[in-house]
Every structure is written in structure tokens, then in C-alpha cells.
Amino acid sequence: MEKKHLIYNPEMECIDREKLKAIQGQRLRETVKLTYENVPLFRKRMDEKGVKPEDIKSVDDIVLLPFTEKTDLRDEFPFGLLAAPKSEIVRIQGSSGTTGKPIVSGYTENDVEVWTEMVARSLAGAGCGKDDIVQVCYGYGLFTGGLGAHQGATRLGAMVIPMSSGNTQRQIMMMKELGSTILCCTPSYATYLGETIRDMGLDPKKDLKLKAGVFGAEPWTEEMRKRIEELLDIDACDIYGLTEIAGPGVAFECLEKKGMHVNEDHVIPEIIDPVTEKQLPYETPGELVFTTITKTGMPMIRYRTHDICTLYVDKCECGRTLVRMGRITGRTDDMIVIRGVNVFPSQIESVLVKTNGVAPHYVLVVDRVNSTDTLEVKVELTEDMFSDTVAHIEEVKNYIAGEIKSVVGVQAKISLVPPKSLPRSEGKAKRVIDNRKL
Amino acid sequence: MFVKQISIYLENVKGSLREITQLLGDNNIDLKALSIADTMSFGIVRCIVAEEQIEKTMEILREHGNIAKVNNVICVCIPDKPSGLSKVLTLIEDAGISIEYTYSFYKNTGDNAVLIIRPSEKRRTVAVLSENGIQMLNQAEIDKI
């Protein structure tokens, strides 16, 4: 079936890549100059490297620039990295709740505008337009999810229902009564909503009007997409972003669902080797690094996301020429090392969702017994997995353990726990409990 | 010639069997027979209730977050004397059928013990036992025990 693609800003989203490079070069030069002149930390790092703003002539010279780390935002908290006077800042947004000192970012009016445009493009990518009713169940507040989706949908002229997170029964009631067509939330909450809707005996085909969802703020898998699409009878599109760069909308999926288009006229994505810090070519997996080129409040130069993914530059069926980033397959920092093997929770998730009758809710418990790392995978038991014989249940457990062993390379103990006993997170799902005293 | 059995997943946690039996007791569910399979990490409670209570039992269990399933088993009358069981098992074994598990009712009927059998092949087991004149009980007869 031919898909109908909505493109919010075709001039930029479908731009000739040579033209794009010229625009990026120009904007990068301006950003570097602005940051060098106004942010002491950046100026110090440039000087240490012996790089002057004038050395940056084209976008290819980006590799000369120093990296920015999340710790820089903590150390310079709250206003140390601002490139604009405080009086020009019209908004503060912050990280979604990590421990310790928070991370905040300051937005000028221009930055809010840039971010809004990026989210508008993202929602349009999922088919959202003026006639749509957008239910936003991301939290509103410092977290960029709620306000970001809100602003983008408003820009498109859609009707916004600012539900914020939580209160699932009320979410479903409003969804049904108001006829929401677009859902914005985390993928784990979308799954939970779908399960609850089914448990209530509702049929999304008949009782709801949802057509698409824009899901982000945590990594998810292709299998999880299939499950959400079945549960809610919608197209499920991925959206990516981070407060440090702008918020959701840095990259987004169109209905082709073949990776997320990076809004390259506003941010330059790079993939680097996390160890050597060398830039890697397209189609090679590595750590994602972003440089903002239109932000004026708190520009970010070569910000290391620690997210692992791959960039693809071939043209998308939707007509956009913007580079696409593949799914985040892990994080360089929350990757767990078990018996010397790098394990990403997303790998285990992909095994679970492929197994018939297994719900995609899981918790990984890592421990160290007699100097050996152990991995326990807690999975919720479903009626499909259950039978009256012990042998059948043991078979299911052995099958899951075997699949994990072949995909991840680590022997895991599978524990079946009662349905709905694992925590459902309405923000980022906590999937790893590491009890090792490392 | 099958009777319905309810199987319930049991976590290997102190008090979990008491909780299930209490839940069923509070709802006036009468357990006619019960057995537990126990492993290192979990258990399965298998039980028989009157047919009219099966639906209600399943609803109560699910409402309280339990995983449960209904499946068919065979109910055999066995003379309540030495070798009564082994004769029946020999018939099944000779037919090349294996038994997953077996357990008995609390009450007897007349001179017979009443036994639940879960064989690997249910239909063929029924055929073998009827050919050899072994009495089996259907759901209606079970309900009267």
C-alpha cells in the first residue's frame, strides 16, 4: 500500500545534500564563534587544542573541535555553559530524573522555536496534521517530553490533550471520549496502555480512533513496535532527543519506519569510536555525537550522547534526504559487562519479545557469587506459557535461556514471576539491577 | 470421558499455597482433589472442583493476578486393595503411553479409590482402559463425590 507522507518543511527536509553541507558549514562556523566568545570552558578547551574558530571552514572540520560531556553540564550547572545573557533565556528544561545534581539547559526564544519546529516535523512524520487530536502522556515539567510534544502539535494546528503522565484509567477514558488520533508517550507506557485497554475488554479498532503513536525517551526494539502496533492498532513511530541538544525531535521516524531522520539543518550528527574518539563513516555502529548549529542559549559542540547506533545516508522512500539513525542498540555507559561480555538490555528484550506468549516486561538482576558474575532474567509468566505439567514450563524457561545464550553469549537464569508484578515505568523503565559490589 | 482440572502457577514463596486455598475457601469453592508439583523455583497446584464452580474459580483466580488454566484429565476408579493401581498402570504402560502425573481424591466411592491420571495420550488411554473394563468417571459423576 502506498503510504501518504506528510512533510512539514520540505525545503529543508528534502534538501539537496550538497546544499545542506554548505548550510551546515555556515551555521557551524557561527556556532563555534558564538560559543568560543561566550563560554569559558569551551574557549579553554579550544585553546588547549590549539584550534581557533577561524580554523573551522567547513562541516568536515568538525573533527578538530573538542568534545562536550554530560559531566560538563553538571560541573557548569546551572548557567556556566550559556552563550547568551541570562536575560535572553526564556525557558529552562532539565533531565528526566537522574540522581545527584540535575542537568539543565537554557533556551532562548530562538531555541524554543527551533525545538518546536523539530517536533512539528516529527509529528508530521507520523502522519499528524491540523485535523488530529494529540494525546500527550509524557510528563509536563522540566522533562522535555510533555512540553516538547505539546509545542510541536500546537505548531501543526492539531488539537492537544495535555494529559501528562500517569492515571491510566483516565488516559483511556479521555482517549475514548475525545477520540484521540495520535498518542505521544514512552514505548513501555504505550505497551502498558495497550494491555490495559485490552484487559478492559476494549477493541481499539472499534472503540478508539488512534492512528499513530510517537514514542520515545527510552530505547525500544522492532519486536516491541510490533506488539504496540497490534495492541493499539496503530503505526508506532520512534522519536529521539535529549535535553542537552533540544529535547524530543532531534530525530524522528517517518511512516516508512526505517530509522529516524536527523534534523540536520539544526544539528550535525556524527558517529565516533567511543574508545579512540575517531569519527566513523556512515553505516558503521558507534557512539552518537551531536553538535547544535542553530541554538543560541546553550549551544553544544560535539556532545557525546553515549548512545550506540548507526547512521544511514541513502535516500528514504518518504522523500526526505536527511540522514537516518538506526535504533539505539545500547549505551556506552549503562552497558553491563557480565563475565567479560558486553550485554545490552535491548538484546535480551529482543529475545523475549520473539518468544511466543512472553510479555516484554523484564528485569535483569546481575550479581556476583563466588567471584563469578550471574545474570538472572525475571520474566512475567503469561497464560500462554503456562501448562499443567512441570516439563512444559521448564521447556519454556530452557528455550528462553538458550536464545539468550545464543544472542548475548551469556548463560542466564530465567525466573518466571506472576503477571503484572514487575514495575511498569511511566518514565524510563528500570530494567537492570546490579547487585555486584564493583 | 474426561474431567476438567484447574492448574494454578504457584510462586516458590512462603505462604503462597495458603493464600490460594484461603482465596478459594473464602469464595466457597470446594476442592474435591488437589495435588502440588514442586520444583526448585515454582510449583503447580492442580485441583478438581465441581463443574458449576469452574468458571467462577477461574474468574476469582485471574482477578487476584494468578495464572491458571483448565485442562482435561482422566478419572479412574480403582479397587481399594493392594495391586489395584499397579494393574491399571500396567495396562497403560503396555499400550506405550506414559503418565505425566497422578493423584487421588480425598473421598472414595464404595470400595473404589478415585484417581486422577494425566497421560501423554488422553484419548488412547480412555480407549485402552474401557477395553479392559476399567471404570472411569465423567464430570457429572465427579460432581457427586
Side-chain angles (χ1 to χ4, degrees):
Chain A
M1 197 180 70
E2 190 76 8
K3 293 189 191 91
K4 197 172 158 271
H5 290 290
L6 284 178
I7 300 181
Y8 178 72
N9 184 346
E11 196 193 327
M12 280 302 174
E13 295 178 66
C14 306
I15 192 171
D16 171 78
R17 289 201 64 83
E18 282 306 312
K19 267 191 206 154
L20 175 67
K21 258 188 107 169
I23 293 175
Q24 285 179 322
Q26 174 61 32
R27 291 181 174 177
L28 179 64
R29 283 196 298 276
E30 286 165 13
T31 300
V32 169
K33 185 167 181 289
L34 175 79
T35 315
Y36 187 84
E37 284 168 3
N38 294 287
V39 181
L41 179 74
F42 180 68
R43 186 164 56 242
K44 182 172 148 255
R45 292 221 174 121
M46 288 280 279
D47 292 346
E48 279 167 7
K49 284 193 108 183
V51 183
K52 294 270 166 256
E54 306 82 76
D55 298 333
I56 307 305
K57 296 186 174 68
S58 79
V59 68
D60 297 327
D61 297 324
I62 197 167
V63 294
L64 301 172
L65 297 168
F67 291 104
T68 306
E69 286 280 358
K70 192 167 208 149
T71 48
D72 296 333
L73 279 91
R74 283 209 184 99
D75 297 344
E76 299 294 315
F77 176 84
F79 299 130
L81 295 178
L82 287 186
K86 242 196 281 180
S87 57
E88 293 302 311
I89 301 298
V90 299
R91 175 86 64 81
I92 289 294
Q93 300 277 180
S95 67
S96 59
T98 31
T99 48
K101 235 187 198 178
I103 280 173
V104 293
S105 185
Y107 298 62
T108 59
E109 206 173 337
N110 161 77
D111 299 346
V112 173
E113 165 58 32
V114 163
W115 177 27
T116 301
E117 154 122 16
M118 291 200 285
V119 187
R121 291 182 190 180
S122 309
L123 292 172
C128 179
K130 193 177 168 2
D131 299 331
D132 281 295
I133 302 177
V134 181
Q135 183 160 344
V136 180
C137 2
Y138 285 118
Y140 278 65
L142 272 182
F143 172 51
T144 49
L147 283 163
H150 188 107
Q151 290 160 198
T154 303
R155 173 61 51 87
L156 291 174
M159 185 197 296
V160 185
I161 316 175
M163 293 297 294
S164 197
S165 58
N167 203 340
T168 304
Q169 296 295 327
R170 209 157 74 99
Q171 297 275 6
I172 295 169
M173 189 269 282
M174 292 296 268
M175 186 181 289
K176 189 163 171 272
E177 299 299 324
L178 273 64
S180 310
T181 57
I182 305 278
L183 177 65
C184 296
C185 61
T186 60
S188 55
Y189 192 57
T191 311
Y192 181 59
L193 271 173
E195 285 175 351
T196 311
I197 284 167
R198 298 284 179 177
D199 282 353
M200 289 165 72
L202 294 175
D203 177 2
K205 262 197 178 72
K206 281 187 281 188
D207 302 317
L208 302 177
K209 296 203 167 64
L210 286 180
K211 63 177 191 186
V214 177
F215 305 123
E218 64 188 21
W220 46 314
T221 57
E222 207 51 44
E223 288 77 20
M224 210 161 152
R225 171 176 1 236
K226 281 197 198 101
R227 182 159 166 80
I228 294 172
E229 292 191 333
E230 276 169 24
L231 279 171
L232 290 169
D233 191 38
I234 56 168
D235 281 302
C237 294
D238 202 353
I239 184 168
Y240 178 87
L242 55 173
T243 314
E244 299 87 321
I245 300 305
V250 169
F252 64 95
E253 241 175 9
C254 64
L255 288 170
E256 294 294 326
K257 303 171 199 166
K258 286 177 183 153
M260 294 176 277
H261 293 284
V262 181
N263 281 308
E264 288 177 285
D265 51 327
H266 294 297
V267 294
I268 299 173
E270 294 174 82
I271 294 289
I272 63 161
D273 181 314
V275 180
T276 66
E277 301 185 335
K278 292 264 178 289
Q279 198 185 67
L280 297 172
Y282 289 130
E283 305 205 3
T284 311
E287 182 183 334
L288 185 59
V289 171
F290 282 117
T291 301
T292 66
I293 49 174
T294 49
K295 261 176 53 160
T296 52
M298 202 161 129
M300 281 287 127
I301 308 287
R302 302 194 87 194
Y303 181 75
R304 294 186 62 164
T305 64
H306 293 278
D307 283 334
I308 294 180
C309 79
T310 308
L311 293 178
Y312 302 92
V313 76
D314 55 308
K315 195 177 164 185
C316 181
E317 287 294 313
C318 72
R320 290 178 183 83
T321 50
L322 302 175
V323 146
R324 283 165 295 129
M325 55 181 269
R327 284 198 183 281
I328 304 296
T329 55
R331 289 194 44 86
T332 59
D333 48 7
D334 83 4
M335 167 182 90
I336 35 178
V337 184
I338 298 168
R339 276 169 253 151
V341 181
N342 297 348
V343 176
F344 297 108
S346 55
Q347 294 175 302
I348 301 208
E349 181 174 319
S350 72
V351 168
L352 295 179
V353 193
K354 267 183 210 147
T355 311
N356 266 344
V358 177
H361 302 293
Y362 63 94
V363 168
L364 308 183
V365 184
V366 189
D367 210 334
R368 185 163 284 177
V369 179
N370 299 331
S371 320
T372 304
D373 295 338
T374 59
L375 172 64
E376 180 187 7
V377 181
K378 291 191 175 184
V379 188
E380 285 182 9
L381 182 71
T382 65
E383 272 183 30
D384 290 342
M385 294 159 76
F386 182 61
S387 124
D388 62 319
T389 66
V390 171
H392 178 264
I393 297 176
E394 295 289 357
E395 257 170 46
V396 173
K397 286 169 70 170
N398 290 340
Y399 175 80
I400 297 173
E403 288 294 295
I404 289 177
K405 171 88 180 146
S406 77
V407 171
V408 184
V410 168
Q411 190 67 45
K413 178 189 168 209
I414 311 300
S415 298
L416 300 176
V417 297
K420 306 208 164 96
S421 66
L422 295 178
R424 300 294 195 273
S425 163
E426 284 167 359
K428 298 195 182 197
K430 174 132 182 80
R431 306 210 191 275
V432 181
I433 299 169
D434 197 335
N435 293 325
R436 293 176 295 187
K437 293 179 180 59
L438 297 176
Chain B
M1 203 27 114
F2 296 134
V3 297
K4 290 198 168 70
Q5 167 190 266
I6 296 176
S7 307
I8 310 157
Y9 182 81
L10 206 61
E11 258 196 299
N12 199 1
V13 174
K14 197 173 176 181
S16 58
L17 177 62
R18 197 256 317 136
E19 267 174 37
I20 296 261
T21 51
Q22 192 171 340
L23 173 67
L24 297 180
D26 289 349
N27 286 281
N28 280 322
I29 306 290
D30 181 28
L31 298 171
K32 291 173 176 293
L34 175 134
S35 89
I36 298 159
D38 63 303
T39 73
M40 290 282 283
S41 50
F42 67 93
I44 302 172
V45 173
R46 305 171 184 126
C47 59
I48 306 282
V49 302
E51 187 166 30
E52 58 177 28
Q53 288 202 313
I54 290 177
E55 210 174 304
K56 183 183 164 197
T57 308
M58 288 298 285
E59 268 173 33
I60 293 164
L61 288 168
R62 283 182 181 141
E63 265 171 33
H64 288 79
N66 291 289
I67 290 278
K69 246 184 192 170
V70 177
N71 71 308
N72 288 329
V73 289
I74 297 165
C75 186
V76 189
C77 284
I78 290 167
D80 194 2
K81 57 185 185 194
S83 303
L85 175 60
S86 72
K87 277 179 190 155
V88 171
L89 294 182
T90 307
L91 292 173
I92 296 174
E93 186 185 339
D94 289 348
I97 300 167
S98 50
I99 289 176
E100 303 280 352
Y101 55 82
T102 167
Y103 59 102
S104 58
F105 271 72
Y106 299 128
K107 291 180 191 161
N108 286 1
T109 55
D111 296 331
N112 290 326
V114 184
L115 203 75
I116 296 294
I117 293 180
R118 161 69 153 94
S120 56
E121 298 166 73
K122 293 174 199 170
R123 277 177 203 289
R124 220 152 64 74
T125 305
V126 170
V128 168
L129 295 180
S130 358
E131 275 164 29
N132 287 279
I134 305 288
Q135 193 198 343
M136 281 168 280
L137 300 184
N138 60 27
Q139 191 76 46
E141 289 163 317
I142 286 286
D143 288 354
K144 287 186 207 124
I145 297 178

